[in-house]
Amino acid sequence: MKNPNALTIGKLARHGGVNIMTIRYYERRGLLPAPTRTASGYRLYADDAVRRLQFIRQSQLLGFSLTEIQDLLSLRMQPGTTCADIRSRAKEKIGAVEKKIEDLERIKNALTGLASACRGKGPTAECPILEALETK
Amino acid sequence: MKNPNALTIGKLARHGGVNIMTIRYYERRGLLPAPTRTASGYRLYADDAVRRLQFIRQSQLLGFSLTEIQDLLSLRMQPGTTCADIRSRAKEKIGAVEKKIEDLERIKNALTGLASACRGKGPTAECPILEALETK
DNA sequence: ATAAACCCGGTACCTTGGTATAGAGTCAAG
DNA sequence: CTTGACTCTATACCAAGGTACCGGGTTTAT
């Protein structure tokens, strides 16, 4: 091997804790750059691919979609992009997360109201939950 | 028409604020019972189909999936099902919603921490957000 | 009586984030 | 040198909740 650190796709997958198919999928999506190939066509990854995979996974854990992660990655590559650009993406995401939380709080309150209206006794014909769902 | 209240699929769709295709889809999924047909094969719905659609929509707004709604509907039809069975479905859903809220709170806190670590100045090479994402 | 509006079934397509399968070629160990 | 593990591409499939198109038949309004 020319590069002593080169990883085959299977090793990269084990390193990153993802499936081989996921790596190929990320490559198709443009999230991972196409690596060099051996003469027989095998992908060979350098160490930075591991960091790239970590970036993707961490970003996913923070609620970014693959498309948004792509956006973050290309922002990073563009000269002239500042830290403020990245921070604004983070703040947008915070806003979206807050909105989702509010939606879920509303749902939770509505469900809690219904559940407490139901004594839990009797047939379904008299269930206040079912009635509430039918009557808009 | 035999039934003065009979609705064609288009009228039911407008009543319920959904697409015609959605109604056919619900029928395929078993969420709406197959209605009677005219001699030429047109679907004819009675008034209760409107209430059924409302039930589905309201349940969706409360976070139930179509599969769960199917479950609620068949529970309602089964003799011997009690109000308590329905209430327990509601409580399960409340638990799931609470868990989602907690997940989102964690995400929000992590993002907020990252955003406040970033002064918003300088190139992306020094962005603490990007660094945090790369370093697991 | 004819055009507009409606409806039919079947199939394909969309999003998101992957996963699976098939059929073939390649690499390493015994 | 053969077997098993690995990799390749291309294509199809999954959940969820629909939406769209096609080529035809029906109903309604003018």
Side-chain angles (χ1 to χ4, degrees):
Chain A
M1 282 187 196
K2 284 141 197 178
N3 182 347
N5 298 326
L7 298 165
T8 59
I9 193 171
K11 285 177 187 162
L12 176 60
R14 280 190 289 275
H15 259 264
V18 299
N19 199 306
I20 287 180
M21 284 86 113
T22 304
I23 292 178
R24 290 201 275 245
Y25 173 67
Y26 286 172
E27 183 178 327
R28 276 205 304 287
R29 295 255 336 211
L31 285 162
L32 280 174
T36 58
R37 301 273 188 144
T38 66
S40 56
Y42 282 27
R43 289 170 179 81
L44 279 187
Y45 294 94
D47 276 357
D48 59 347
V50 178
R51 262 177 296 133
R52 178 70 74 111
L53 268 186
Q54 277 166 358
F55 184 95
I56 295 169
R57 203 176 37 176
Q58 285 302 307
S59 303
Q60 277 187 308
L61 288 176
L62 291 180
F64 290 96
S65 69
L66 293 184
T67 303
E68 288 167 335
I69 295 169
Q70 223 162 341
D71 182 44
L72 286 176
L73 286 167
S74 66
L75 262 187
R76 185 173 62 164
M77 298 308 292
Q78 263 161 31
T81 303
T82 66
C83 211
D85 298 319
I86 302 294
R87 199 176 57 166
S88 95
R89 292 299 194 291
K91 293 204 166 173
E92 278 171 29
K93 181 54 67 182
I94 291 172
V97 169
E98 281 170 347
K99 185 175 176 319
K100 256 187 216 160
I101 291 173
E102 284 160 22
D103 290 346
L104 289 173
E105 294 283 8
R106 265 195 298 279
I107 287 174
K108 179 185 154 188
N109 291 337
L111 281 172
T112 304
L114 287 184
S116 69
C118 177
R119 298 176 341 277
K121 285 282 177 184
T124 55
E126 300 162 14
C127 182
I129 297 176
L130 293 177
E131 276 172 30
L133 289 173
E134 264 197 355
T135 317
K136 152 73 184 135
Chain B
M1 284 182 195
K2 282 142 197 178
N3 181 347
N5 297 327
L7 298 165
T8 60
I9 193 170
K11 284 177 188 165
L12 176 61
R14 279 190 289 277
H15 260 264
V18 299
N19 199 306
I20 287 179
M21 284 86 111
T22 304
I23 292 177
R24 290 201 274 244
Y25 173 68
Y26 286 173
E27 183 179 325
R28 276 205 304 286
R29 296 255 335 210
L31 284 162
L32 280 174
T36 59
R37 300 275 188 143
T38 65
S40 57
Y42 281 28
R43 289 170 178 83
L44 279 186
Y45 293 94
D47 276 356
D48 59 347
V50 177
R51 262 177 295 134
R52 178 69 74 112
L53 267 187
Q54 276 166 359
F55 184 94
I56 295 170
R57 203 176 37 177
Q58 285 303 305
S59 304
Q60 278 187 306
L61 288 176
L62 292 180
F64 290 96
S65 70
L66 292 185
T67 303
E68 289 167 333
I69 295 169
Q70 223 162 340
D71 182 43
L72 285 176
L73 286 167
S74 66
L75 261 187
R76 183 172 63 165
M77 299 308 293
Q78 263 162 31
T81 305
T82 66
C83 213
D85 298 318
I86 301 295
R87 200 175 58 165
S88 95
R89 293 301 193 288
K91 294 203 164 174
E92 279 170 29
K93 182 54 67 181
I94 290 172
V97 168
E98 281 170 347
K99 183 174 179 321
K100 256 187 215 161
I101 291 173
E102 284 161 22
D103 290 345
L104 289 173
E105 295 283 7
R106 263 194 299 278
I107 287 174
K108 180 185 152 187
N109 291 336
L111 282 171
T112 304
L114 287 184
S116 69
C118 177
R119 298 178 340 280
K121 285 281 177 184
T124 55
E126 300 162 13
C127 181
I129 297 176
L130 292 177
E131 275 173 31
L133 289 173
E134 263 197 356
T135 318
K136 154 58 191 151

